Amino acid sequence: MSLDTSPASPGSSDMLKLPRLIGLVAALLLVSPALVSPARAADPPVKLIIKPLLCVIDKGATDCVVTFDIRWKSAQPGEYCLNDSVQATPLRCWPSALNGDMKHERTFSEDFRFWLGAPAGGERVSEVKIEVLRVGSDDRRRERRSRHVWDVL
Amino acid sequence: MKIQLKIAAFWAVAALAQVPAQAQEATASGSSQQPDNAPVVLPEEKRWRIGAALGYGLRSNPLIQSDDIPIAIDLDLAWFGDRWFFDNGDLGVELIDNSAFTTNLVARLNSDRAFFSKTNTKYVTFSVMPGGMTGALFNPVTGEPVPTEDAPPQPLKPPERDYAIELGFETLFSGEWGQATLRAFHDVSGTHHGYEISADYSYRIARGRFSLSPLLGVSWKSAELSDYYWGVHPEEASFTLRQYDAKAGLGWEVGVSANYYLTKSMRLALSANYEELQHSVAMSPLVEDDHVTGYFAGLAWQF
């Protein structure tokens, strides 16, 4: 078995092509999202904005009690209803509106979702996940602090 | 050795004393049916805890001729079974768990060895003495100082040290007042033959997504442990290092850590601490700083 190092050999030619090929693949990967789904580049037709998105439950507490600031806006007027994954009926519906806002107080202990959709249900035109994070533990072992030099947190 | 046996006996007796009490509690709670006062059932916690923090931090190194320890990533790997657990290098088994405290038997690696990993050699024309003082080169055989003009520069390098596996008890307390830990560990690897007793207290202040935890701690290290790592043993004495026996002593530390939760799995993390070395260790010719500082700031993920 011999190693051919001449510039015209097929093996050497393949080697020269390899960086170009890698560059081409990288470029395709970069531009592919725009090619495959051009709609992503534009703003969504309906945007739902809710604050806060996260509730932190400290050790000893069982529930989050949060007043949500809920806003939405649409590029086209329409009838939208605000729903959540906890109850079957909409929280509120807006007839033929371009935007809407409301305050909503809720007590909860698990993740759930708000979404905007048509009054009859079906497609969710915009969706937001509300997360619950429990910090601290009743298992004291999980709260133990290491005294190792390499642990800094 | 007698003190170690007494400590072990104390924990063993405390463990046995708790068994009947725990059995009674279990029976009482099992037989009572009070739906109105029933505790809220929280979601079961995952057995594994896997996390990583990326950022910038530094742990200072008090050892002479050594580099500080940079920290760019801090990994968190732990597993908690019903009784057994692994927590970032510590292997433990829960012996007692009740409303007031939890006692574990834990095997761990001694941390002092970590300071001896990043050492270097320097050629000098002086010797290092206790308390950070320097003097003329010193002949360890004759015990006489060597005139500088008679000797070329001599190597100054910290001696090598081994990791020690330590076995001990820890008791964790927690309540509305905060958290406290008592620990007593003894070398079971035949490395330093010593022991360490420590205590710390911390209190977490939480406001929404933000939490702040100040901490205070003290640690007593035996003469065997202190001297193994921080003494200059007779066979290690050289023209540049004078022999030194480190004694037992008490050190202390303060620290604070802060977290701001961005999402359920990501948070901004900040931590800083200061440890004052016990006096006899701080006076060692091997030690150039009487304290260790550490800090880290970064983004932490919990997977």
Side-chain angles (χ1 to χ4, degrees):
Chain A
M1 187 174 171
S2 63
L3 185 64
D4 190 348
T5 56
S6 65
S9 69
S12 173
S13 175
D14 288 346
M15 289 295 284
L16 287 171
K17 284 177 183 172
L18 190 61
R20 286 188 201 166
L21 186 65
I22 293 170
L24 184 64
V25 171
L28 279 172
L29 285 173
L30 284 172
V31 301
S32 60
L35 293 173
V36 174
S37 55
R40 283 190 186 179
D43 286 338
V46 182
K47 194 171 184 180
L48 178 63
I49 302 164
I50 297 182
K51 292 178 183 175
L53 296 174
L54 176 70
C55 175
V56 180
I57 302 182
D58 202 10
K59 189 174 144 186
T62 55
D63 296 314
C64 282
V65 181
V66 173
T67 300
F68 290 103
D69 183 10
I70 302 169
R71 297 167 189 274
W72 65 270
K73 59 182 178 181
S74 172
Q76 292 181 337
E79 186 171 1
Y80 296 106
C81 291
L82 180 72
N83 300 271
D84 66 39
S85 53
V86 179
Q87 54 195 54
T89 55
L91 293 170
R92 183 174 168 183
C93 290
W94 288 265
S96 188
L98 272 170
N99 56 61
D101 64 84
M102 65 179 284
K103 301 269 186 197
H104 176 66
E105 186 179 291
R106 167 161 295 192
T107 302
F108 57 103
S109 58
E110 293 176 358
D111 295 358
F112 70 98
R113 291 171 187 274
F114 284 116
W115 77 86
L116 271 181
E123 188 189 7
R124 301 178 182 189
V125 294
S126 189
E127 189 174 47
V128 168
K129 185 178 182 184
I130 307 300
E131 293 185 317
V132 174
L133 172 65
R134 294 180 183 278
V135 293
S137 171
D138 290 332
D139 183 351
R140 293 189 187 93
R141 299 174 303 167
R142 294 172 186 266
E143 300 288 293
R144 67 192 292 275
R145 173 179 161 268
S146 167
R147 294 194 74 250
H148 296 307
V149 168
W150 50 88
D151 279 333
V152 286
L153 292 177
Chain B
M1 193 65 188
K2 284 181 180 175
I3 294 174
Q4 297 151 21
L5 287 173
K6 283 179 184 173
I7 293 166
F10 166 77
W11 255 290
V13 169
L16 288 172
Q18 286 300 315
V19 172
Q22 283 179 300
Q24 284 173 0
E25 280 177 25
T27 307
S29 61
S31 60
S32 63
Q33 290 186 347
Q34 295 175 318
D36 293 343
N37 298 327
V40 175
V41 178
L42 297 175
E44 192 174 344
E45 292 176 290
K46 294 177 188 171
R47 297 269 191 197
W48 284 95
R49 189 183 68 209
I50 302 171
L54 292 174
Y56 181 75
L58 200 70
R59 176 81 71 187
S60 71
N61 194 336
L63 188 65
I64 58 165
Q65 290 305 119
S66 63
D67 298 328
D68 291 341
I69 304 166
I71 300 159
I73 181 165
D74 186 67
L75 296 175
D76 178 17
L77 180 64
W79 177 86
F80 298 94
D82 292 337
R83 292 174 70 87
W84 289 89
F85 64 94
F86 171 83
D87 184 4
N88 291 293
D90 293 353
L91 181 66
V93 58
E94 182 185 281
L95 302 176
I96 309 167
D97 181 39
N98 59 34
S99 59
F101 64 88
T102 302
T103 295
N104 304 317
L105 177 66
V106 177
R108 70 176 190 185
L109 285 178
N110 184 287
S111 283
D112 288 27
R113 165 62 179 78
F115 293 119
F116 291 80
S117 295
K118 296 173 75 73
T119 62
N120 48 63
T121 304
K122 185 179 180 181
Y123 285 82
V124 298
T125 54
F126 57 83
S127 64
V128 184
M129 298 188 294
M133 307 287 283
T134 56
L137 289 172
F138 185 82
N139 188 325
V141 178
T142 63
E144 297 292 325
V146 179
T148 305
E149 60 272 16
D150 294 346
Q154 297 292 316
L156 172 61
K157 179 178 172 58
E160 293 186 352
R161 297 290 183 256
D162 291 329
Y163 280 103
I165 299 170
E166 298 173 340
L167 185 69
F169 295 96
E170 66 174 18
T171 297
L172 314 168
F173 304 88
S174 64
E176 295 283 320
W177 45 268
Q179 292 176 285
T181 308
L182 287 176
R183 289 185 166 114
F185 280 85
H186 177 248
D187 173 31
V188 291
S189 58
T191 304
H192 60 68
H193 305 287
Y195 54 92
E196 177 180 0
I197 299 171
S198 65
D200 62 58
Y201 167 77
S202 66
Y203 185 82
R204 194 154 65 88
I205 302 156
R207 294 285 182 275
R209 297 184 181 205
F210 180 73
S211 71
L212 184 77
S213 302
L215 175 135
L216 282 169
V218 291
S219 172
W220 191 87
K221 294 181 180 180
S222 71
E224 294 91 340
L225 191 161
S226 300
D227 189 54
Y228 174 75
Y229 284 107
W230 303 103
V232 179
H233 310 153
E235 69 278 12
E236 295 166 347
S238 66
F239 283 93
T240 56
L241 272 179
R242 307 267 182 116
Q243 184 186 339
Y244 181 78
D245 295 324
K247 307 283 192 297
L250 188 71
W252 56 268
E253 67 170 323
V254 293
V256 65
S257 65
N259 289 296
Y260 182 80
Y261 294 93
L262 300 169
T263 69
K264 199 171 180 176
S265 57
M266 192 189 303
R267 69 185 199 275
L268 290 170
L270 186 73
S271 165
N273 76 333
Y274 175 95
E275 180 184 353
E276 182 85 4
L277 300 175
Q278 60 117 323
H279 179 71
S280 182
V281 166
M283 292 295 287
S284 168
L286 296 179
V287 172
E288 62 183 7
D289 292 321
D290 63 359
H291 61 272
V292 178
T293 57
Y295 62 85
F296 181 84
L299 199 56
W301 287 266
Q302 197 82 51
F303 301 108

